[in-house]
Amino acid sequence: MNRKTIAASLAAAALLVLSLCFPAVGAKACAEGVALWANAVLPTLFPFLVLTALLTRLGAAECAGRLFAPLTKKLRLPDCAAVCMLLGVLSGYPVGCRALSEFQGRMREGQALRAAALCSVSGPMFVIGTVGGAMFQSARAGALLFCSHLLGVVLVFLCTLPFARRAEEERTLPAGKSADAVLAESVQGAVVSILCVGGFIAFFGAAAALLQAAGILAPLQKLIALPLSAAGAENCAEGALAGLLEATRGCALLAGAGGTLALPLAAFTVTFGGASILAQQLAFLKKLKVRAGAFVALKFAQGAAAFGICLLLCGLFQ
């Protein structure tokens, strides 16, 4: 067993012990995660998963990607990346990365990593509607958050451009099948994908609750509070920590805490995604052999950029 396997085994064993010590806490958090998935994620995300699979398998996404060929060639990306990002912007995590995974074999590992970072975006329904409107109770806050999120993603992506190789000529996909042949395949694939998403939400929700109940997260929260206290935002530490694990809960806590750094920290949280969303995306990106460490590092950089941009925009427009 290598070090990573040993560390993962110890973490799993620790969570197993905690679930036996705090069974009610874990069960409640898991049920809340399943309810969140069933009421909010499943109805909005499942149709997009089916439709993106249909468009890809019928060859329509490939044809649309050719319209963006002049742009993607300059960005040293395969043509499909532009369409996948558009799908991600419209529907949010993890649709962009899931759509990208349908083009397995069309790009090198380095291209796949950069394309994944570009396609890893949240949708306006969640950022503007849920976080801005419902949590921060401000449409303007939602708009600033969404602009900061997209600008942070694009800015970090552009910083990788000097290190990218020129895009190779793409191999052609097999001819598109008939709609009758791919509909069942698309629905079956979408069912597996949406169940996988629900599993990650429930698992990370339960894991976070168990760690909180055991007091394991308390030292980390104090550590995060140190730099925030210098800016008078120590009350945002709980939300910032929660956002590293699960973005929705983290944003809700940040909105409740308030203060000048609450919205910029929410911009970081939405852009970074937290462990739950990162795990969902990496499950799809595994087909493209995207390295988890490199992807998480890029997402952290995008989150930091979104934080800085949001802080600047808040100073200009609020």
Side-chain angles (χ1 to χ4, degrees):
M1 295 176 68
N2 56 37
R3 292 181 180 179
K4 290 183 179 179
T5 304
I6 293 172
S9 300
L10 290 175
L15 285 175
L16 179 60
V17 171
L18 290 178
S19 66
L20 294 174
C21 294
F22 305 98
V25 172
K28 181 183 177 183
C30 186
E32 289 173 351
V34 172
L36 173 66
W37 170 78
N39 296 324
V41 179
L42 176 62
T44 56
L45 190 58
F46 182 71
F48 278 98
L49 293 175
V50 176
L51 293 172
T52 53
L54 272 173
L55 291 171
T56 304
R57 296 180 187 188
L58 289 171
E62 182 188 18
C63 294
R66 291 172 185 166
L67 298 175
F68 300 96
L71 175 62
T72 52
K73 289 294 186 271
K74 289 182 180 179
L75 296 177
R76 300 181 182 180
L77 286 175
D79 296 347
C80 62
V83 177
C84 293
M85 183 189 181
L86 180 60
L87 292 171
V89 170
L90 290 175
S91 51
Y93 300 121
V95 170
C97 289
R98 200 263 190 179
L100 197 66
S101 70
E102 294 285 338
F103 292 90
Q104 181 183 3
R106 302 284 310 273
M107 61 196 90
R108 295 189 305 264
E109 183 179 329
Q111 286 181 321
L113 173 62
R114 295 176 63 247
L118 186 63
C119 297
S120 173
V121 288
S122 186
M125 184 180 296
F126 173 71
V127 179
I128 299 176
T130 303
V131 180
M135 296 180 184
F136 282 88
Q137 298 183 346
S138 168
R140 174 178 289 186
L144 289 177
L145 201 58
F146 192 60
C147 289
S148 303
H149 167 61
L150 292 183
L151 289 173
V153 168
V154 173
L155 178 62
V156 172
F157 168 80
L158 291 177
C159 289
T160 68
L161 189 56
F163 308 98
R165 297 179 183 178
R166 189 176 300 277
E168 293 178 343
E169 189 68 27
E170 297 179 10
R171 298 194 294 271
T172 18
L173 285 175
K177 302 177 183 178
S178 67
D180 292 339
V182 300
L183 179 59
E185 296 176 6
S186 300
V187 172
Q188 289 170 3
V191 168
V192 173
S193 297
I194 199 68
L195 287 175
C196 180
V197 169
F200 278 120
I201 293 173
F203 172 75
F204 279 98
L210 290 171
L211 292 173
Q212 190 75 45
I216 296 174
L217 295 181
L220 185 55
Q221 184 173 321
K222 290 180 180 179
L223 183 64
I224 292 175
L226 289 177
L228 292 178
S229 61
E234 187 176 357
N235 59 332
C236 290
E238 184 182 1
L241 175 59
L244 293 177
L245 298 173
E246 207 286 308
T248 305
R249 183 169 180 268
C251 288
L253 290 172
L254 287 169
T260 56
L261 290 186
L263 195 64
L265 285 171
F268 171 86
T269 300
V270 166
T271 307
F272 179 62
S276 177
I277 291 175
L278 287 170
Q280 293 170 35
Q281 296 177 103
L282 287 169
F284 297 118
L285 295 175
K286 185 179 179 181
K287 293 181 181 179
L288 302 176
K289 298 181 180 180
V290 171
R291 290 173 296 162
F295 180 71
V296 172
L298 273 177
K299 291 305 301 174
F300 189 89
Q302 289 175 337
F307 172 88
I309 292 170
C310 189
L311 191 63
L312 177 63
L313 292 179
C314 286
L316 291 175
F317 298 105
Q318 285 191 344

